[in-house]
Amino acid sequence: MTTVRTPSPSVLPAHRTDGRNRARSGRRLDRAFSGLTLTAGLTILATLVGVVLATATFAWPAFRAGGIGFFTGTTWSSQTNTFGALPMIYGTVVTAVIAIILAVPASLGVALFLTEVCPRRLRGPIVALIDLLAAIPSVVFGLVGVLAFHNVFQTVFRAITGPKANGSSLLTAGIILAFMIIPIITSIPREGIATVPGHHREASYALGATRWEVLRTAILPAGSGGITGAVMLGLGRALGETIAVALVVGSAIQITPDITQPGTTMAEIIANRFNGEGMGIERNALMGLGVVLFMITIAVNVAARVVVNRAQRRNAGT
Amino acid sequence: MTDTALLPKPSTQPGFGPVLEPSQRTDVRAKTVSAGRRRTDKVATIALWCAVLAAVVPLGAVITVLVAKGFGVVNWHFLTSDIPSVTGQTTAACRDITPAFRAKYGINCSPPAPGMGPAIVGTLISTGLAAALAIPIGILGAVYCNEIGVRTRLASAIRFFADVMIGVPSIVMGMFIYTAWVVRFGTNGRSAFAAALALACLMLPIVLRSAEEMLRLVPDELRHANLALGGRPSQGVIRVVLPAALPGLISGSLLAVARAAGETAPVLFTIGVTLSLNTSPFGENTTLAQQIFSGAKSGLPLANQLAWGAAFTLVAIVFGLSALARFVASRSSKVQKG
Amino acid sequence: MTLNGLSVFYGENLAVRDVSFGVAANRITAIIGPSGCGKSTVLRSLNRMNDLIDGCRVIGDVAYRGIDIYAPDVEAVEVRRRIGMVFQRPTPFPKSIYQNVVYGLKLAGIHDARDDRVEHALRQAALWDEVSGRLDSSALGLSGGQQQRLCIARALAVEPDVLLMDEPCSALDPIATARIEDLMAELSERLTIVIVTHNLAQAARASHDTAFLTTEVDDHGNRTGVLVEVAPTDRLFAHPIDERTEQYITGRFG
């Protein structure tokens, strides 16, 4: 109690200089702290630059040896040292496209369901389940796909397309990828749809719109930017996903229009073949595939982010 | 009370017909919504339910299969013993010899009991080290973006490239650390530490972005209050903003750790392989994810069994971390609501 | 319309208790009362907009032309077609002016004379002269008052029988407010209007009947809206019967 009545020390002359000292050391603290956080922030940019430089340098001999043939060649052989990446590029694109075709309607459906149709009591559990789906490691998807569901896939494919279909195929990989990207594609429109058009939605209902009409005319357009961006993010993930695909795609270096046949992807062949020292130039060539994959996914992600950010800014603006 | 003017109203403007027939105009029981609209609405609702099923069913399938195949494998011995060496030869050789011969020469032909101890330890070490590297840097970077360099170009560049980096395939991170670290140290380069570097590259942008979202939720009033009391901006961050955001930071970091723990691709070229316990961050090691990958590729039943057990263990760890993150986050929102 | 023993729950919370009053056709009924007394809740239960709020339950009945709009054989969509609504903040869709007005017609599948209907609706909303030359420009470029009149036009295009207005002027300046009030007077010749307002002067100026709601706080601190008094506006403001009404309109509480 008595301390309350003691005059505040800072008003005494003797303490003024002390205060100034403290101010100086405080400024120093501020500056040191800023520097520390800045360094941390720059680490991320440095890492990205490091990834580009290190992998590209390492892959350079393969690019130089292969030239344009690296991208257009269809044989990949360590015996003859010919490395053509076209089958991998083909497989990567095909599996990713299958995944997108399957995942986009499902994801949008989930997002719309959660905002407009879902009974409130179910909303929390369903969001939790979708998050859980996202949390399953990709190697587990691969394990389940190859050991538990290989025969299921094979039976179904054969029933539909004929006896040649294989349970480990581009289509299998596409289906597994679709499950893996549903949570990604769902999350962004979910945010967008949930935050934007509360009043648009009400205004539509007040004009006598049915639920589907409200979804289609008021909610989907408002979320369209976010949806486009989310689809591209999903595409980026599908292009780069490695382990699950490596287990279920069948690992056959070929270009086949039949998606129920085994194939390969860039990430698949890296994961299954790259075993380090003593590989000769194939090691550089695999690294080269990594660089190509990196560049493609960076391009897709940059584009996706630009779209998403623009959509988010627009939503924040109105 | 009084519905005085129940008479149909005169059409307000001659020239075009009424939207609804006079009798329909005031009778809410009249079905004026066309059958087509009604049907579309029904079909759409059913389609949306199906979409949710499409997302939830595979989750159920994965979990059911994991429990069916993995639960029986996991026991105390599995969690603590070394990984048995699984080769086709052992089984083949034993098939040709009689039990008496086995007994006489003390040959043990019963299949080795499955164990995953070294992989669990390797997962914990590599993920733990990665967390120790990535979480502080990520949070400090987020502090820069949201507190120190707010609205600077650099901050938005960091934010943007962090988002982009989240989308970089994880295998690229593995290749990066392989070229930048492993090849420099030859065969000794492969270690839990090298794997941790690759995993840290993967976690860093995730931690940074989630931390930034959490810092953004801290109301400006708290920052202003610190300044008004004569506090330095850095003191405000350390004493006010970070503590206020702490539960969110923890929850976001836990999710990043969960993600890293389940990653295989970055570990593949950076950790080497071992079947026996290695508690050091250096020297070849192994993780659960890596063991699942090699077990899944194998045609041998024991290897598959090991993979199922490892997968069950890994998913338990990852779900546990996610649940913990959720719990921390829900606690914090309760605290904030008061 | 007749409200009979209307109570609205949000989850466990009783927001409005036992409200009963009538809304006369072709008149303007104002609902007034202090903040949080459930004015908007009552209004939103008149065209089942409360259905959209999770955990919202309505007890009692709301009869429209003698039919309970909450009856099982009545669909919310059919109710809202006939009982339109204008919100507190203008809610134009991010589309052109024309597309905004034609929206409801499109939903209803009305193809004939669309342009005429749009013009008619905009004229009714006293907006035609200001926008007739730029129907294709974005509705978001209009001023707040114009946007609100656009929303009224949008609601009028499907020719509702009743128009509910939820503090339609609270985001507008006095001039824009005056225009909307004139508009309401004109519209009331053809349709029934229920308006929620926190502006007593507006209720006194622009309505024929007034319902006054207030908040009761129970022992647990739960706040519930109850109806105090309903009467022709002139009478209610000149000779309030209930003491609470008098206190409120003379500015002694709320």
Side-chain angles (χ1 to χ4, degrees), chain C residues 159-179:
Chain C
E159 296 184 17
D161 187 38
V162 179
L163 189 61
L164 308 177
M165 304 177 98
D166 189 358
E167 303 196 20
C169 303
S170 65
L172 305 182
D173 62 44
I175 295 171
T177 302
R179 299 204 62 159

Side-chain angles (χ1 to χ4, degrees), chain A residues 26 30 37-38 40 50 58 106 113 131 135 137 139 143 179 208 211-213 242 272 274 276-277 283 287 297 301 305, chain B residues 37 40-41 44-45 51-52 55 58 137 140 154 163 167 169 171 176 178-179 190 232-234 262 264 293 297 311 318 326:
Chain A
D30 266 358
T37 59
L38 177 62
F58 197 91
F113 178 84
D131 287 348
V139 69
L143 174 75
F179 293 139
R211 188 158 63 193
W212 168 244
E213 285 157 353
T242 308
N272 277 328
F274 194 93
E277 304 76 18
R283 188 167 61 141
M287 189 67 73
T297 49
N301 276 290
R305 274 302 155 192
Chain B
R37 284 176 71 194
T40 315
D41 194 48
T45 306
V52 173
I137 299 179
L140 284 174
L154 183 61
D163 277 338
I171 195 162
F176 166 53
Y178 178 80
T179 58
R190 289 196 166 87
R232 299 241 138 227
S234 57
T264 317
F293 185 55
K297 286 202 289 185
V318 169
R326 231 163 217 290

Side-chain angles (χ1 to χ4, degrees), chain B residues 150-219:
Chain B
V150 217
R151 278 188 265 282
T152 60
R153 279 244 176 103
L154 183 61
S156 43
I158 291 172
R159 206 174 289 134
F160 184 83
F161 283 107
D163 277 338
V164 169
M165 200 164 148
I166 290 177
V168 169
S170 57
I171 195 162
V172 172
M173 298 307 178
M175 303 193 91
F176 166 53
I177 296 302
Y178 178 80
T179 58
W181 178 273
V182 175
V183 286
R184 277 169 212 223
F185 298 90
T187 35
N188 298 329
R190 289 196 166 87
S191 62
F193 183 75
L197 286 177
L199 292 175
C201 291
L202 184 99
M203 286 174 69
L204 181 57
I206 304 177
V207 174
L208 189 143
R209 287 301 274 141
S210 81
E212 216 210 320
E213 294 298 321
M214 293 309 149
L215 293 179
R216 198 171 292 161
L217 292 180
V218 176

Side-chain angles (χ1 to χ4, degrees), chain B residues 5-31:
Chain B
L6 281 170
L7 296 168
K9 296 172 185 195
S11 176
T12 50
Q13 178 123 336
F16 46 86
V19 173
L20 298 174
E21 296 301 321
S23 59
Q24 290 179 342
R25 183 149 184 259
T26 54
D27 181 4
V28 286
R29 280 178 307 192
K31 304 289 186 211

Side-chain angles (χ1 to χ4, degrees), chain B residues 41-244:
Chain B
D41 194 48
K42 287 248 166 62
V43 170
T45 306
I46 293 169
L48 294 187
W49 275 100
C50 290
V52 173
L53 283 184
V56 174
V57 164
L59 175 75
V62 168
I63 291 175
T64 315
V65 170
L66 269 188
V67 171
K69 304 230 177 191
F71 184 71
V73 182
V74 179
N75 52 36
W76 182 246
H77 180 268
F78 179 82
L79 296 174
T80 51
S81 323
D82 281 1
I83 304 164
S85 150
V86 189
T87 60
Q89 283 166 346
T90 3
T91 16
C94 277
R95 210 183 303 134
D96 301 332
I97 52 182
T98 61
F101 186 82
R102 271 184 237 160
K104 188 173 172 192
Y105 293 96
I107 298 170
N108 183 6
C109 273
S110 58
M116 250 323 129
I120 294 172
V121 172
T123 304
L124 295 180
I125 295 176
S126 55
T127 315
L129 282 174
L133 286 167
I135 292 174
I137 299 179
I139 291 179
L140 284 174
V143 167
Y144 178 80
C145 290
N146 203 55
E147 310 288 328
I148 311 285
V150 217
R151 278 188 265 282
T152 60
R153 279 244 176 103
L154 183 61
S156 43
I158 291 172
R159 206 174 289 134
F160 184 83
F161 283 107
D163 277 338
V164 169
M165 200 164 148
I166 290 177
V168 169
S170 57
I171 195 162
V172 172
M173 298 307 178
M175 303 193 91
F176 166 53
I177 296 302
Y178 178 80
T179 58
W181 178 273
V182 175
V183 286
R184 277 169 212 223
F185 298 90
T187 35
N188 298 329
R190 289 196 166 87
S191 62
F193 183 75
L197 286 177
L199 292 175
C201 291
L202 184 99
M203 286 174 69
L204 181 57
I206 304 177
V207 174
L208 189 143
R209 287 301 274 141
S210 81
E212 216 210 320
E213 294 298 321
M214 293 309 149
L215 293 179
R216 198 171 292 161
L217 292 180
V218 176
D220 267 345
E221 284 77 5
L222 290 183
R223 298 182 181 90
H224 296 165
N226 164 66
L227 295 177
L229 290 168
R232 299 241 138 227
S234 57
Q235 290 172 320
V237 172
I238 296 166
R239 295 186 182 196
V240 179
V241 178
L242 286 178

